[in-house]
Amino acid sequence: MQFELAPMEGITGYIFRNAYLKYFGDMDRYFTPFIASTGLNHKELNDVLPEHNEGFMRGLEKDMNVKGEGQIRPRLVPQILSNRAEDFLMIADRLRQMGYSHVNLNLGCPSGTVVSRGRGAGFLGVPSRLDAFLEEIYEKCPLSVSVKTRLGVTDMEDWEGLLEIYEKYPMEELIIHPRIQRDFYKHPLRLEGMELALHRQEKTGGRISICYNGEIHSLGEYQTLRQRFPRIQRVMLGRGVLKNPFLTGELRQWEKRRQVSEDYENPAPEARREVLWAFHQEMLNGYREIMAGEQNALYKMKELWTYLGDSFPGKEKALKKIRKAGDMIRYESAVREVFD
Ligand SMILES: Cc1cc2nc3c(=O)[nH]c(=O)nc-3n(C[C@H](O)[C@H](O)[C@H](O)COP(=O)(O)O)c2cc1C
């Protein structure tokens, strides 16, 4: 199984990614949050600069993982949000010059401002334009291109037609989040859309590599997915990893010991806490270093805790103090209480 870290705007930028790589490092691929401006604004540029991503840029795809498990070495894939081929190609060219070999197209962002401009999941509503866009970028882009998609905008009617379009292009991989734009992030998954994609993949001789993404936030949810879609070879994890950074390690362990899954043992709580503490400090120091003013670093860390709080059941009181902390002194004292 190949595991990939989902792009999450505002969260999985290079500070998070480097801290994750240092303390967990168990993803085969890492995707950056989307880049939308052709000139690459300050934040976008900093996120992809090779000097901010050294640990991801070393080695070629065919190299073995340092753990010697024969996996693909961790790599970084910048994501682009655009509906103009010219702009997409311009951004991809900048990325090529920095040493990237693979970019991802965002066809899933459901946010109103993105969709109203016909980008992200909004682009799925005009399949003929999307087809022309894909034709041009696949013809001209020197990098390999993967796509991250939803199933449609207002319903699933276009989904099969969209798959027919995707199948025409040499897609590096097709990452499917089985929801439509209207579903945002909470609506129940539409797994029948995944089923259709896998069925078509089988029919076309597996031309496209499909990656599943959505609501794998625990080992149990992963097991259910594996049962329903045993042929899936790639899974992208997002909020599940923010809630429990040990998740990918747990899923890998389970894959290794599938036959005797009852034997699975979680790492000792004490050891987990130590790693989480170091991971947290790494991010806190990283944000303090790069952000203008402590308040901005505080805001970033609080956002992370909306997910990471799940790793600390029974600590609701202290977690509330984190949410309420108005300055770094109160924040750090609340964090110590959570870890206590
Ligand atoms: C705060 C947040 C920011 C996100 N930013 C991006 C993004 O920049 N690009 C993208 O393709 N998806 C983005 N997503 C969607 C995730 O990559 C992923 O598809 C979604 O969270 C579902 O997977 P999960 O249930 O594993 O989290 C974002 C999601 C969240 C919650």
Side-chain angles (χ1 to χ4, degrees), residues 5-12 32-35 79 104-110 148-150 175 177 179 185 189 213-217 236-242 303 307:
L5 180 70
M8 282 176 283
E9 220 283 308
I11 303 174
T12 59
T32 75
F34 66 76
I35 296 170
Q79 186 186 63
N104 177 262
L105 170 68
N106 179 327
L107 292 177
C109 183
K148 182 164 180 279
T149 189
R150 288 192 179 227
I175 302 153
H177 179 55
R179 288 190 166 107
Y185 289 114
L189 295 165
N213 165 244
E215 305 295 329
I216 302 298
H217 298 183
M236 175 179 268
L237 303 166
R239 291 164 296 177
V241 170
L242 304 182
E303 191 175 3
Y307 301 98

mmCIF file of all heavy atoms in Angstrom, residues 5-12 32-35 79 104-110 148-150 175 177 179 185 189 213-217 236-242 303 307, ligand 1:
data_model
loop_
_atom_site.group_PDB
_atom_site.id
_atom_site.type_symbol
_atom_site.label_atom_id
_atom_site.label_comp_id
_atom_site.label_asym_id
_atom_site.label_seq_id
_atom_site.Cartn_x
_atom_site.Cartn_y
_atom_site.Cartn_z
ATOM 1 N N LEU A 5 0.266 11.958 1.875
ATOM 2 C CA LEU A 5 -0.275 12.999 2.761
ATOM 3 C C LEU A 5 -1.094 13.995 1.938
ATOM 4 O O LEU A 5 -0.589 14.572 0.959
ATOM 5 C CB LEU A 5 0.851 13.742 3.489
ATOM 6 C CG LEU A 5 0.357 14.850 4.426
ATOM 7 C CD1 LEU A 5 -0.355 14.281 5.648
ATOM 8 C CD2 LEU A 5 1.504 15.750 4.869
ATOM 9 N N ALA A 6 -2.326 14.197 2.333
ATOM 10 C CA ALA A 6 -3.223 15.109 1.603
ATOM 11 C C ALA A 6 -2.744 16.554 1.711
ATOM 12 O O ALA A 6 -2.194 16.955 2.748
ATOM 13 C CB ALA A 6 -4.634 14.986 2.160
ATOM 14 N N PRO A 7 -2.981 17.327 0.661
ATOM 15 C CA PRO A 7 -2.689 18.761 0.779
ATOM 16 C C PRO A 7 -3.760 19.410 1.641
ATOM 17 O O PRO A 7 -4.946 19.140 1.456
ATOM 18 C CB PRO A 7 -2.784 19.249 -0.677
ATOM 19 C CG PRO A 7 -3.694 18.272 -1.365
ATOM 20 C CD PRO A 7 -3.570 16.967 -0.636
ATOM 21 N N MET A 8 -3.372 20.216 2.604
ATOM 22 C CA MET A 8 -4.361 20.917 3.425
ATOM 23 C C MET A 8 -3.898 22.351 3.634
ATOM 24 O O MET A 8 -2.982 22.618 4.423
ATOM 25 C CB MET A 8 -4.607 20.179 4.741
ATOM 26 C CG MET A 8 -5.524 18.988 4.521
ATOM 27 S SD MET A 8 -5.805 17.988 5.977
ATOM 28 C CE MET A 8 -4.290 17.098 6.026
ATOM 29 N N GLU A 9 -4.557 23.219 2.916
ATOM 30 C CA GLU A 9 -4.216 24.642 2.909
ATOM 31 C C GLU A 9 -4.201 25.196 4.334
ATOM 32 O O GLU A 9 -5.114 24.935 5.108
ATOM 33 C CB GLU A 9 -5.284 25.368 2.077
ATOM 34 C CG GLU A 9 -4.734 26.470 1.188
ATOM 35 C CD GLU A 9 -4.413 27.721 1.980
ATOM 36 O OE1 GLU A 9 -5.306 28.187 2.710
ATOM 37 O OE2 GLU A 9 -3.279 28.199 1.877
ATOM 38 N N GLY A 10 -3.146 25.919 4.674
ATOM 39 C CA GLY A 10 -3.073 26.510 6.012
ATOM 40 C C GLY A 10 -2.513 25.571 7.064
ATOM 41 O O GLY A 10 -2.209 25.991 8.171
ATOM 42 N N ILE A 11 -2.399 24.282 6.752
ATOM 43 C CA ILE A 11 -1.931 23.341 7.776
ATOM 44 C C ILE A 11 -0.686 22.555 7.339
ATOM 45 O O ILE A 11 0.318 22.555 8.032
ATOM 46 C CB ILE A 11 -3.051 22.356 8.179
ATOM 47 C CG1 ILE A 11 -4.263 23.145 8.678
ATOM 48 C CG2 ILE A 11 -2.558 21.387 9.255
ATOM 49 C CD1 ILE A 11 -5.460 22.311 8.976
ATOM 50 N N THR A 12 -0.770 21.908 6.169
ATOM 51 C CA THR A 12 0.337 21.007 5.801
ATOM 52 C C THR A 12 1.417 21.712 4.978
ATOM 53 O O THR A 12 1.978 21.139 4.047
ATOM 54 C CB THR A 12 -0.173 19.754 5.052
ATOM 55 O OG1 THR A 12 -0.871 20.198 3.868
ATOM 56 C CG2 THR A 12 -1.095 18.941 5.904
ATOM 57 N N THR A 32 1.709 19.386 -1.529
ATOM 58 C CA THR A 32 1.656 20.732 -0.937
ATOM 59 C C THR A 32 0.234 21.274 -1.066
ATOM 60 O O THR A 32 -0.501 20.884 -1.971
ATOM 61 C CB THR A 32 2.596 21.722 -1.661
ATOM 62 O OG1 THR A 32 1.997 22.094 -2.922
ATOM 63 C CG2 THR A 32 3.979 21.154 -1.882
ATOM 64 N N PRO A 33 -0.143 22.197 -0.196
ATOM 65 C CA PRO A 33 -1.408 22.917 -0.423
ATOM 66 C C PRO A 33 -1.325 23.623 -1.780
ATOM 67 O O PRO A 33 -0.231 23.825 -2.313
ATOM 68 C CB PRO A 33 -1.445 23.930 0.721
ATOM 69 C CG PRO A 33 -0.559 23.349 1.783
ATOM 70 C CD PRO A 33 0.517 22.608 1.046
ATOM 71 N N PHE A 34 -2.470 24.013 -2.323
ATOM 72 C CA PHE A 34 -2.464 24.497 -3.712
ATOM 73 C C PHE A 34 -1.745 25.828 -3.922
ATOM 74 O O PHE A 34 -1.713 26.699 -3.055
ATOM 75 C CB PHE A 34 -3.880 24.559 -4.290
ATOM 76 C CG PHE A 34 -4.787 25.568 -3.637
ATOM 77 C CD1 PHE A 34 -4.670 26.920 -3.901
ATOM 78 C CD2 PHE A 34 -5.797 25.151 -2.777
ATOM 79 C CE1 PHE A 34 -5.515 27.846 -3.314
ATOM 80 C CE2 PHE A 34 -6.653 26.060 -2.177
ATOM 81 C CZ PHE A 34 -6.513 27.401 -2.442
ATOM 82 N N ILE A 35 -1.164 25.939 -5.108
ATOM 83 C CA ILE A 35 -0.552 27.183 -5.579
ATOM 84 C C ILE A 35 -1.516 27.726 -6.624
ATOM 85 O O ILE A 35 -1.895 27.006 -7.557
ATOM 86 C CB ILE A 35 0.801 26.897 -6.270
ATOM 87 C CG1 ILE A 35 1.785 26.316 -5.261
ATOM 88 C CG2 ILE A 35 1.357 28.151 -6.941
ATOM 89 C CD1 ILE A 35 3.068 25.779 -5.893
ATOM 90 N N GLN A 79 0.947 21.145 -5.639
ATOM 91 C CA GLN A 79 -0.388 21.127 -6.259
ATOM 92 C C GLN A 79 -0.706 22.494 -6.865
ATOM 93 O O GLN A 79 -0.407 23.534 -6.285
ATOM 94 C CB GLN A 79 -1.442 20.793 -5.208
ATOM 95 C CG GLN A 79 -2.815 20.618 -5.835
ATOM 96 C CD GLN A 79 -3.916 20.418 -4.817
ATOM 97 O OE1 GLN A 79 -4.195 21.291 -3.996
ATOM 98 N NE2 GLN A 79 -4.540 19.259 -4.853
ATOM 99 N N ASN A 104 0.491 18.260 -9.304
ATOM 100 C CA ASN A 104 -0.872 17.749 -9.148
ATOM 101 C C ASN A 104 -1.867 18.867 -9.453
ATOM 102 O O ASN A 104 -1.650 20.017 -9.080
ATOM 103 C CB ASN A 104 -1.051 17.242 -7.705
ATOM 104 C CG ASN A 104 -2.452 16.752 -7.437
ATOM 105 O OD1 ASN A 104 -3.292 17.468 -6.882
ATOM 106 N ND2 ASN A 104 -2.727 15.535 -7.833
ATOM 107 N N LEU A 105 -2.951 18.504 -10.124
ATOM 108 C CA LEU A 105 -3.996 19.478 -10.462
ATOM 109 C C LEU A 105 -5.150 19.349 -9.467
ATOM 110 O O LEU A 105 -5.682 18.247 -9.261
ATOM 111 C CB LEU A 105 -4.505 19.215 -11.887
ATOM 112 C CG LEU A 105 -5.757 19.993 -12.307
ATOM 113 C CD1 LEU A 105 -5.455 21.493 -12.434
ATOM 114 C CD2 LEU A 105 -6.300 19.454 -13.627
ATOM 115 N N ASN A 106 -5.543 20.475 -8.891
ATOM 116 C CA ASN A 106 -6.643 20.480 -7.916
ATOM 117 C C ASN A 106 -7.988 20.618 -8.637
ATOM 118 O O ASN A 106 -8.295 21.669 -9.194
ATOM 119 C CB ASN A 106 -6.431 21.641 -6.927
ATOM 120 C CG ASN A 106 -7.532 21.749 -5.885
ATOM 121 O OD1 ASN A 106 -8.698 21.453 -6.153
ATOM 122 N ND2 ASN A 106 -7.172 22.181 -4.694
ATOM 123 N N LEU A 107 -8.771 19.531 -8.628
ATOM 124 C CA LEU A 107 -10.141 19.591 -9.175
ATOM 125 C C LEU A 107 -11.124 19.217 -8.063
ATOM 126 O O LEU A 107 -12.168 18.620 -8.319
ATOM 127 C CB LEU A 107 -10.277 18.625 -10.353
ATOM 128 C CG LEU A 107 -9.479 18.978 -11.623
ATOM 129 C CD1 LEU A 107 -9.650 17.897 -12.686
ATOM 130 C CD2 LEU A 107 -9.915 20.328 -12.191
ATOM 131 N N GLY A 108 -10.748 19.570 -6.831
ATOM 132 C CA GLY A 108 -11.597 19.148 -5.723
ATOM 133 C C GLY A 108 -11.987 20.238 -4.758
ATOM 134 O O GLY A 108 -12.929 20.069 -3.978
ATOM 135 N N CYS A 109 -11.280 21.384 -4.782
ATOM 136 C CA CYS A 109 -11.555 22.397 -3.771
ATOM 137 C C CYS A 109 -13.015 22.868 -3.868
ATOM 138 O O CYS A 109 -13.456 23.346 -4.911
ATOM 139 C CB CYS A 109 -10.590 23.577 -3.918
ATOM 140 S SG CYS A 109 -10.861 24.811 -2.633
ATOM 141 N N PRO A 110 -13.801 22.731 -2.759
ATOM 142 C CA PRO A 110 -15.227 23.058 -2.829
ATOM 143 C C PRO A 110 -15.549 24.498 -2.415
ATOM 144 O O PRO A 110 -16.711 24.895 -2.440
ATOM 145 C CB PRO A 110 -15.821 22.084 -1.812
ATOM 146 C CG PRO A 110 -14.742 21.955 -0.757
ATOM 147 C CD PRO A 110 -13.428 22.129 -1.466
ATOM 148 N N LYS A 148 -6.347 15.461 -8.629
ATOM 149 C CA LYS A 148 -7.125 15.168 -7.414
ATOM 150 C C LYS A 148 -8.527 15.695 -7.665
ATOM 151 O O LYS A 148 -8.706 16.892 -7.916
ATOM 152 C CB LYS A 148 -6.485 15.848 -6.209
ATOM 153 C CG LYS A 148 -7.188 15.571 -4.889
ATOM 154 C CD LYS A 148 -6.270 15.942 -3.716
ATOM 155 C CE LYS A 148 -6.906 15.684 -2.366
ATOM 156 N NZ LYS A 148 -7.820 16.755 -1.949
ATOM 157 N N THR A 149 -9.510 14.807 -7.638
ATOM 158 C CA THR A 149 -10.849 15.192 -8.078
ATOM 159 C C THR A 149 -11.952 14.810 -7.101
ATOM 160 O O THR A 149 -11.793 13.899 -6.280
ATOM 161 C CB THR A 149 -11.148 14.524 -9.450
ATOM 162 O OG1 THR A 149 -12.365 15.041 -10.007
ATOM 163 C CG2 THR A 149 -11.279 13.007 -9.319
ATOM 164 N N ARG A 150 -13.060 15.533 -7.220
ATOM 165 C CA ARG A 150 -14.337 15.086 -6.637
ATOM 166 C C ARG A 150 -15.145 14.452 -7.759
ATOM 167 O O ARG A 150 -14.665 14.350 -8.890
ATOM 168 C CB ARG A 150 -15.076 16.278 -6.027
ATOM 169 C CG ARG A 150 -14.421 16.768 -4.759
ATOM 170 C CD ARG A 150 -15.280 17.739 -3.998
ATOM 171 N NE ARG A 150 -14.587 18.145 -2.782
ATOM 172 C CZ ARG A 150 -15.133 18.179 -1.578
ATOM 173 N NH1 ARG A 150 -16.416 17.880 -1.401
ATOM 174 N NH2 ARG A 150 -14.434 18.550 -0.518
ATOM 175 N N ILE A 175 -6.455 10.859 -7.953
ATOM 176 C CA ILE A 175 -6.834 10.782 -6.536
ATOM 177 C C ILE A 175 -8.309 11.156 -6.444
ATOM 178 O O ILE A 175 -8.700 12.248 -6.887
ATOM 179 C CB ILE A 175 -5.985 11.757 -5.701
ATOM 180 C CG1 ILE A 175 -4.497 11.446 -5.868
ATOM 181 C CG2 ILE A 175 -6.391 11.700 -4.229
ATOM 182 C CD1 ILE A 175 -3.592 12.643 -5.651
ATOM 183 N N HIS A 177 -11.641 11.887 -4.209
ATOM 184 C CA HIS A 177 -12.332 12.132 -2.943
ATOM 185 C C HIS A 177 -13.818 11.960 -3.271
ATOM 186 O O HIS A 177 -14.409 12.805 -3.956
ATOM 187 C CB HIS A 177 -12.034 13.551 -2.450
ATOM 188 C CG HIS A 177 -12.733 13.879 -1.162
ATOM 189 N ND1 HIS A 177 -12.597 13.104 -0.033
ATOM 190 C CD2 HIS A 177 -13.591 14.867 -0.833
ATOM 191 C CE1 HIS A 177 -13.344 13.609 0.932
ATOM 192 N NE2 HIS A 177 -13.954 14.671 0.480
ATOM 193 N N ARG A 179 -16.882 12.599 -3.040
ATOM 194 C CA ARG A 179 -17.953 13.529 -2.692
ATOM 195 C C ARG A 179 -18.118 14.462 -3.884
ATOM 196 O O ARG A 179 -17.206 14.590 -4.698
ATOM 197 C CB ARG A 179 -17.584 14.380 -1.480
ATOM 198 C CG ARG A 179 -17.584 13.657 -0.155
ATOM 199 C CD ARG A 179 -17.455 14.633 1.007
ATOM 200 N NE ARG A 179 -17.762 14.019 2.283
ATOM 201 C CZ ARG A 179 -16.853 13.703 3.210
ATOM 202 N NH1 ARG A 179 -15.573 13.965 3.018
ATOM 203 N NH2 ARG A 179 -17.216 13.142 4.350
ATOM 204 N N TYR A 185 -17.112 18.906 3.271
ATOM 205 C CA TYR A 185 -16.263 17.887 3.919
ATOM 206 C C TYR A 185 -17.005 16.982 4.894
ATOM 207 O O TYR A 185 -16.391 16.159 5.546
ATOM 208 C CB TYR A 185 -15.093 18.562 4.653
ATOM 209 C CG TYR A 185 -14.069 19.140 3.719
ATOM 210 C CD1 TYR A 185 -13.852 20.509 3.642
ATOM 211 C CD2 TYR A 185 -13.331 18.303 2.875
ATOM 212 C CE1 TYR A 185 -12.915 21.036 2.771
ATOM 213 C CE2 TYR A 185 -12.397 18.815 1.998
ATOM 214 C CZ TYR A 185 -12.195 20.180 1.955
ATOM 215 O OH TYR A 185 -11.273 20.699 1.088
ATOM 216 N N LEU A 189 -19.888 9.869 2.437
ATOM 217 C CA LEU A 189 -19.153 9.579 1.198
ATOM 218 C C LEU A 189 -20.062 8.902 0.183
ATOM 219 O O LEU A 189 -20.992 8.187 0.558
ATOM 220 C CB LEU A 189 -17.971 8.658 1.522
ATOM 221 C CG LEU A 189 -16.902 9.268 2.421
ATOM 222 C CD1 LEU A 189 -15.989 8.176 2.963
ATOM 223 C CD2 LEU A 189 -16.097 10.324 1.664
ATOM 224 N N ASN A 213 -9.161 8.770 -1.358
ATOM 225 C CA ASN A 213 -9.014 9.769 -0.286
ATOM 226 C C ASN A 213 -10.354 10.083 0.361
ATOM 227 O O ASN A 213 -11.312 10.411 -0.323
ATOM 228 C CB ASN A 213 -8.410 11.066 -0.859
ATOM 229 C CG ASN A 213 -8.557 12.253 0.085
ATOM 230 O OD1 ASN A 213 -9.232 13.222 -0.232
ATOM 231 N ND2 ASN A 213 -7.964 12.177 1.250
ATOM 232 N N GLY A 214 -10.415 9.998 1.698
ATOM 233 C CA GLY A 214 -11.600 10.468 2.400
ATOM 234 C C GLY A 214 -11.957 9.693 3.641
ATOM 235 O O GLY A 214 -12.173 8.473 3.584
ATOM 236 N N GLU A 215 -11.976 10.378 4.781
ATOM 237 C CA GLU A 215 -12.522 9.846 6.040
ATOM 238 C C GLU A 215 -11.822 8.595 6.545
ATOM 239 O O GLU A 215 -12.437 7.796 7.253
ATOM 240 C CB GLU A 215 -14.031 9.565 5.903
ATOM 241 C CG GLU A 215 -14.858 10.744 5.455
ATOM 242 C CD GLU A 215 -14.901 11.916 6.440
ATOM 243 O OE1 GLU A 215 -14.811 11.658 7.657
ATOM 244 O OE2 GLU A 215 -15.009 13.055 5.978
ATOM 245 N N ILE A 216 -10.534 8.431 6.226
ATOM 246 C CA ILE A 216 -9.790 7.354 6.883
ATOM 247 C C ILE A 216 -9.120 8.006 8.092
ATOM 248 O O ILE A 216 -8.033 8.552 7.993
ATOM 249 C CB ILE A 216 -8.751 6.707 5.936
ATOM 250 C CG1 ILE A 216 -9.430 6.151 4.679
ATOM 251 C CG2 ILE A 216 -7.987 5.600 6.670
ATOM 252 C CD1 ILE A 216 -10.442 5.069 4.934
ATOM 253 N N HIS A 217 -9.819 7.941 9.213
ATOM 254 C CA HIS A 217 -9.344 8.621 10.406
ATOM 255 C C HIS A 217 -8.993 7.629 11.516
ATOM 256 O O HIS A 217 -8.646 8.031 12.623
ATOM 257 C CB HIS A 217 -10.387 9.632 10.896
ATOM 258 C CG HIS A 217 -10.676 10.720 9.881
ATOM 259 N ND1 HIS A 217 -11.532 11.760 10.119
ATOM 260 C CD2 HIS A 217 -10.202 10.943 8.629
ATOM 261 C CE1 HIS A 217 -11.580 12.560 9.048
ATOM 262 N NE2 HIS A 217 -10.794 12.073 8.139
ATOM 263 N N MET A 236 -4.726 8.234 0.236
ATOM 264 C CA MET A 236 -4.271 9.553 0.691
ATOM 265 C C MET A 236 -4.952 9.868 2.023
ATOM 266 O O MET A 236 -6.171 9.702 2.151
ATOM 267 C CB MET A 236 -4.631 10.609 -0.359
ATOM 268 C CG MET A 236 -4.311 12.017 0.084
ATOM 269 S SD MET A 236 -4.726 13.236 -1.180
ATOM 270 C CE MET A 236 -3.181 13.349 -2.045
ATOM 271 N N LEU A 237 -4.166 10.294 3.001
ATOM 272 C CA LEU A 237 -4.707 10.572 4.337
ATOM 273 C C LEU A 237 -4.585 12.055 4.656
ATOM 274 O O LEU A 237 -3.535 12.656 4.417
ATOM 275 C CB LEU A 237 -3.923 9.769 5.377
ATOM 276 C CG LEU A 237 -3.892 8.256 5.172
ATOM 277 C CD1 LEU A 237 -2.817 7.631 6.039
ATOM 278 C CD2 LEU A 237 -5.246 7.632 5.481
ATOM 279 N N GLY A 238 -5.643 12.630 5.194
ATOM 280 C CA GLY A 238 -5.638 14.050 5.536
ATOM 281 C C GLY A 238 -5.872 14.274 7.010
ATOM 282 O O GLY A 238 -4.970 14.127 7.851
ATOM 283 N N ARG A 239 -7.135 14.594 7.366
ATOM 284 C CA ARG A 239 -7.433 14.958 8.748
ATOM 285 C C ARG A 239 -7.124 13.843 9.740
ATOM 286 O O ARG A 239 -6.794 14.117 10.902
ATOM 287 C CB ARG A 239 -8.905 15.390 8.851
ATOM 288 C CG ARG A 239 -9.178 16.710 8.141
ATOM 289 C CD ARG A 239 -10.652 16.916 7.920
ATOM 290 N NE ARG A 239 -11.188 15.892 7.021
ATOM 291 C CZ ARG A 239 -12.458 15.768 6.680
ATOM 292 N NH1 ARG A 239 -13.347 16.609 7.186
ATOM 293 N NH2 ARG A 239 -12.850 14.818 5.853
ATOM 294 N N GLY A 240 -7.198 12.589 9.283
ATOM 295 C CA GLY A 240 -6.885 11.464 10.168
ATOM 296 C C GLY A 240 -5.474 11.566 10.729
ATOM 297 O O GLY A 240 -5.224 11.252 11.896
ATOM 298 N N VAL A 241 -4.543 12.020 9.882
ATOM 299 C CA VAL A 241 -3.152 12.144 10.316
ATOM 300 C C VAL A 241 -2.977 13.353 11.226
ATOM 301 O O VAL A 241 -2.148 13.341 12.134
ATOM 302 C CB VAL A 241 -2.224 12.231 9.079
ATOM 303 C CG1 VAL A 241 -0.814 12.614 9.465
ATOM 304 C CG2 VAL A 241 -2.232 10.920 8.324
ATOM 305 N N LEU A 242 -3.771 14.388 11.001
ATOM 306 C CA LEU A 242 -3.698 15.554 11.898
ATOM 307 C C LEU A 242 -4.226 15.175 13.280
ATOM 308 O O LEU A 242 -3.698 15.607 14.301
ATOM 309 C CB LEU A 242 -4.516 16.725 11.345
ATOM 310 C CG LEU A 242 -4.184 17.222 9.930
ATOM 311 C CD1 LEU A 242 -5.074 18.422 9.587
ATOM 312 C CD2 LEU A 242 -2.730 17.618 9.815
ATOM 313 N N GLU A 303 -5.072 26.119 15.311
ATOM 314 C CA GLU A 303 -5.772 25.442 14.215
ATOM 315 C C GLU A 303 -5.407 23.956 14.201
ATOM 316 O O GLU A 303 -6.260 23.080 14.036
ATOM 317 C CB GLU A 303 -5.401 26.110 12.883
ATOM 318 C CG GLU A 303 -6.285 25.635 11.754
ATOM 319 C CD GLU A 303 -6.034 26.362 10.448
ATOM 320 O OE1 GLU A 303 -5.126 27.214 10.382
ATOM 321 O OE2 GLU A 303 -6.762 26.052 9.483
ATOM 322 N N TYR A 307 -7.573 19.464 15.443
ATOM 323 C CA TYR A 307 -7.466 18.055 15.033
ATOM 324 C C TYR A 307 -6.684 17.241 16.065
ATOM 325 O O TYR A 307 -7.140 16.203 16.525
ATOM 326 C CB TYR A 307 -6.769 17.946 13.675
ATOM 327 C CG TYR A 307 -7.475 18.686 12.575
ATOM 328 C CD1 TYR A 307 -7.065 19.955 12.179
ATOM 329 C CD2 TYR A 307 -8.565 18.107 11.918
ATOM 330 C CE1 TYR A 307 -7.718 20.635 11.168
ATOM 331 C CE2 TYR A 307 -9.220 18.777 10.901
ATOM 332 C CZ TYR A 307 -8.796 20.046 10.532
ATOM 333 O OH TYR A 307 -9.445 20.706 9.530
HETATM 334 C C1 LIG B 1 -8.331 22.742 6.184
HETATM 335 C C2 LIG B 1 -8.304 21.954 4.899
HETATM 336 C C3 LIG B 1 -7.550 22.436 3.820
HETATM 337 C C4 LIG B 1 -7.538 21.735 2.604
HETATM 338 N N1 LIG B 1 -6.756 22.196 1.551
HETATM 339 C C5 LIG B 1 -6.682 21.466 0.402
HETATM 340 C C6 LIG B 1 -5.825 21.862 -0.683
HETATM 341 O O1 LIG B 1 -5.071 22.851 -0.627
HETATM 342 N N2 LIG B 1 -5.845 21.102 -1.813
HETATM 343 C C7 LIG B 1 -6.635 19.971 -1.921
HETATM 344 O O2 LIG B 1 -6.615 19.308 -2.957
HETATM 345 N N3 LIG B 1 -7.425 19.580 -0.910
HETATM 346 C C8 LIG B 1 -7.450 20.273 0.234
HETATM 347 N N4 LIG B 1 -8.221 19.819 1.271
HETATM 348 C C9 LIG B 1 -8.900 18.520 1.146
HETATM 349 C C10 LIG B 1 -8.004 17.364 1.679
HETATM 350 O O3 LIG B 1 -6.835 17.248 0.891
HETATM 351 C C11 LIG B 1 -8.777 16.025 1.668
HETATM 352 O O4 LIG B 1 -9.189 15.776 0.351
HETATM 353 C C12 LIG B 1 -10.007 16.055 2.583
HETATM 354 O O5 LIG B 1 -9.679 16.572 3.852
HETATM 355 C C13 LIG B 1 -10.606 14.658 2.734
HETATM 356 O O6 LIG B 1 -9.675 13.739 3.242
HETATM 357 P P1 LIG B 1 -9.604 13.348 4.819
HETATM 358 O O7 LIG B 1 -10.966 12.876 5.228
HETATM 359 O O8 LIG B 1 -8.541 12.290 4.874
HETATM 360 O O9 LIG B 1 -9.223 14.593 5.544
HETATM 361 C C14 LIG B 1 -8.280 20.521 2.470
HETATM 362 C C15 LIG B 1 -9.020 20.065 3.561
HETATM 363 C C16 LIG B 1 -9.041 20.748 4.757
HETATM 364 C C17 LIG B 1 -9.846 20.191 5.905
#
